[in-house]
Amino acid sequence: MPSVTDRYDPLATETLRNPYSVLAELRAREPVFWHAGMGSWVLTRYADCVRVLRDHETFARDPRRTGGTVPEPSLSVQTLDPPQQNAVRSSFMTALRAQDLTGIEGRARHLVGERLDQLAGAGPFDAVSEIAVPLSVAVVADLLGVEPPPYGEFAAVSDAIMRSMDGGLDPALVEPGRIARGQLSELVDSWFAASSRPGLLARVRQATVADSDALARSYVKNTARVMFQGGYSTMAAAVGNAVHTLLTHPGTLERMRDRALLATGVDELVRFDGPVQGTTRTTPVGSSWINQIETWFGLLTRQSIRRSTFASVNVLIKQIRDYIDSWNSEAKPFTWTATAEEILAKVRLVQTNIKKLVANNSK
Ligand code: HEM
């Protein structure tokens, strides 16, 4: 049977239906592994993920920190790391806190009540298209203070954007995502051109000083798009997943009828089958984290493998596993001791030697 890392295909039908059993197996057996399809390391343990997400210096969101580029429509809170991210993030967070969230909740309850009344007694219905999608479009439009777009069309645009996030695994998803992002940008442009209705967007626009540069305006506009689309897609998926969980766990449904359990119960439903399965970071070139891994493999080679003979691959594997076990029994973190000057002096020495070599060869 192929190893769990070979079996892990995030887009396979069975993974999409239930990713949790393979994730549990990965956490237990290979919590950190290289996924060739994604061209990326995959981490599945909570503590490891928290460590990566909190270490903004070593792990970047901004592709420019690893020599990449960001096209103008993608410049948003999602492509910045702290501290550069702080200004745009806090402008949206301040505006979010200033909204009448109780009023928004009341209107959402009313809308769901109305739709359930219309659907009641009319036979089976699709909870995602009839409830989750219209509810999520309405709530996020109410929050931002914009006219809700026709929700069927918007759902298709949002789906194409969400799917394109798996473009690394399936390149065919990239182009429809790019087109959809353009369509959504046009919609956001129209909100910015229209006179401001009260809401989060109006507040952010007030806070963005009129004479701010074009770049700052791009960040605000694109973050508004990310918020609308990210808010809608997670909400619609979370409602769909919650309905599915309740219908497949009738005991939980009964317990949720107790109003005292409702708030924590909703949090638990989102945690139990969340709408987001992962997030990504890139590692800035030359990161000390990568150097430490290289250092470790150097130690393994020098101390355990080089100059040894192995009767079979299995013997070699056992030797490596034994080394890992003994290393882990008293592992200590590497301490970075080289100064920038020492490293640069070595780089200069290598450069001089290479130049000499090239000069000698061309004689
Ligand atoms: C259950 C619901 C939700 C889940 C599970 C969720 C999950 C996530 C995740 C995993 C990220 C990426 C974080 C990172 O890589 O550091 C993210 C970012 C983001 N989400 Fe959500 N989200 C939810 C609901 C929402 C809603 C309702 C909104 C807006 C109304 C929203 C707006 C955003 C924005 C603007 C970002 C990018 C900014 C940032 O990461 O700081 N999300 N979300």
Side-chain angles (χ1 to χ4, degrees):
M1 184 167 176
S3 71
V4 61
T5 53
D6 287 339
R7 279 184 282 124
Y8 179 57
D9 174 0
L11 297 187
T13 312
E14 66 272 24
T15 316
L16 292 174
R17 195 167 289 146
N18 175 10
Y20 303 112
S21 52
V22 69
L23 289 177
E25 208 178 328
L26 284 170
R27 279 197 301 274
R29 288 164 180 248
E30 300 281 350
V32 180
F33 70 98
W34 175 258
H35 193 288
M38 286 192 247
S40 163
W41 291 95
V42 176
L43 279 63
T44 49
R45 281 189 181 158
Y46 177 79
D48 293 338
C49 295
V50 168
R51 201 169 148 194
V52 167
L53 293 175
R54 288 195 178 148
D55 183 353
H56 307 295
E57 221 168 283
T58 317
F59 302 100
R61 260 185 175 188
D62 189 341
R64 290 167 297 187
R65 287 178 59 200
T66 52
T69 50
V70 181
E72 191 280 334
S74 297
L75 291 171
S76 81
V77 73
Q78 272 182 317
T79 51
L80 284 176
D81 294 292
Q84 289 79 10
Q85 191 200 48
N86 297 355
V88 55
R89 194 169 204 279
S90 75
S91 137
F92 275 80
M93 288 314 289
T94 310
L96 179 66
R97 280 192 285 268
Q99 299 313 304
D100 171 18
L101 297 180
T102 318
I104 295 173
E105 184 187 331
R107 290 189 285 279
R109 278 180 189 281
H110 181 72
L111 188 141
V112 174
E114 252 182 11
R115 288 200 83 89
L116 286 176
D117 285 346
Q118 285 161 5
L119 293 162
F125 62 89
D126 181 332
V128 171
S129 60
E130 298 293 340
I131 308 260
V133 168
L135 171 72
S136 308
V137 172
V139 169
V140 77
D142 199 3
L143 177 69
L144 265 76
V146 298
E147 192 61 40
Y151 54 80
E153 275 169 47
F154 177 72
V157 167
S158 172
D159 280 355
I161 295 175
M162 292 307 284
R163 281 179 206 279
S164 72
M165 290 179 188
D166 293 320
L169 285 166
D170 183 353
L173 301 172
V174 174
E175 185 54 14
R178 194 190 59 78
I179 296 171
R181 219 168 263 122
Q183 289 168 329
L184 189 52
S185 286
E186 279 173 27
L187 183 67
V188 177
D189 280 340
S190 73
W191 294 336
F192 273 80
S195 63
S196 39
R197 284 166 52 150
L200 189 145
L201 214 54
R203 180 109 187 177
V204 172
R205 287 171 69 191
Q206 273 162 20
T208 317
V209 276
D211 62 357
S212 61
D213 58 26
L215 189 63
R217 286 200 297 276
S218 285
Y219 274 109
V220 168
K221 202 183 76 183
N222 296 333
T223 301
R225 189 195 67 226
V226 166
M227 190 141 191
F228 193 89
Q229 199 270 328
Y232 157 78
S233 55
T234 47
M235 224 186 293
V239 171
N241 288 357
V243 170
H244 179 258
T245 303
L246 292 174
L247 293 179
T248 47
H249 297 74
T252 309
L253 180 59
E254 276 316 305
R255 289 183 67 202
M256 293 278 287
R257 293 191 196 281
D258 177 354
R259 285 196 156 263
L261 291 181
L262 204 55
T264 46
V266 169
D267 284 354
E268 276 307 297
L269 282 174
V270 174
R271 197 190 61 81
F272 182 73
D273 193 6
V276 180
Q277 292 291 322
T279 187
T280 54
R281 293 292 185 268
T282 65
T283 314
V285 179
S287 147
S288 59
W289 181 77
I290 292 290
N291 289 339
Q292 284 165 5
I293 290 184
E294 286 173 0
T295 303
W296 188 86
F297 276 99
L299 287 172
L300 165 74
T301 311
R302 279 197 306 281
Q303 297 180 354
S304 175
I305 301 178
R306 191 176 286 156
R307 278 191 268 280
S308 302
T309 44
F310 303 98
S312 69
V313 174
N314 283 342
V315 175
L316 172 63
I317 292 173
K318 183 173 179 320
Q319 172 107 347
I320 294 174
R321 291 223 177 268
D322 287 349
Y323 183 83
I324 294 172
D325 287 344
S326 110
W327 177 276
N328 282 345
S329 64
E330 44 186 305
K332 290 188 199 71
F334 289 106
T335 314
W336 185 263
T337 53
T339 63
E341 286 72 32
E342 284 169 335
I343 296 170
L344 290 174
K346 277 191 189 162
V347 172
R348 277 192 289 272
L349 185 68
V350 171
Q351 279 176 336
T352 319
N353 288 342
I354 289 176
K355 273 187 200 150
K356 275 188 203 160
L357 199 70
V358 173
N360 281 340
N361 279 347
S362 53
K363 273 180 194 167

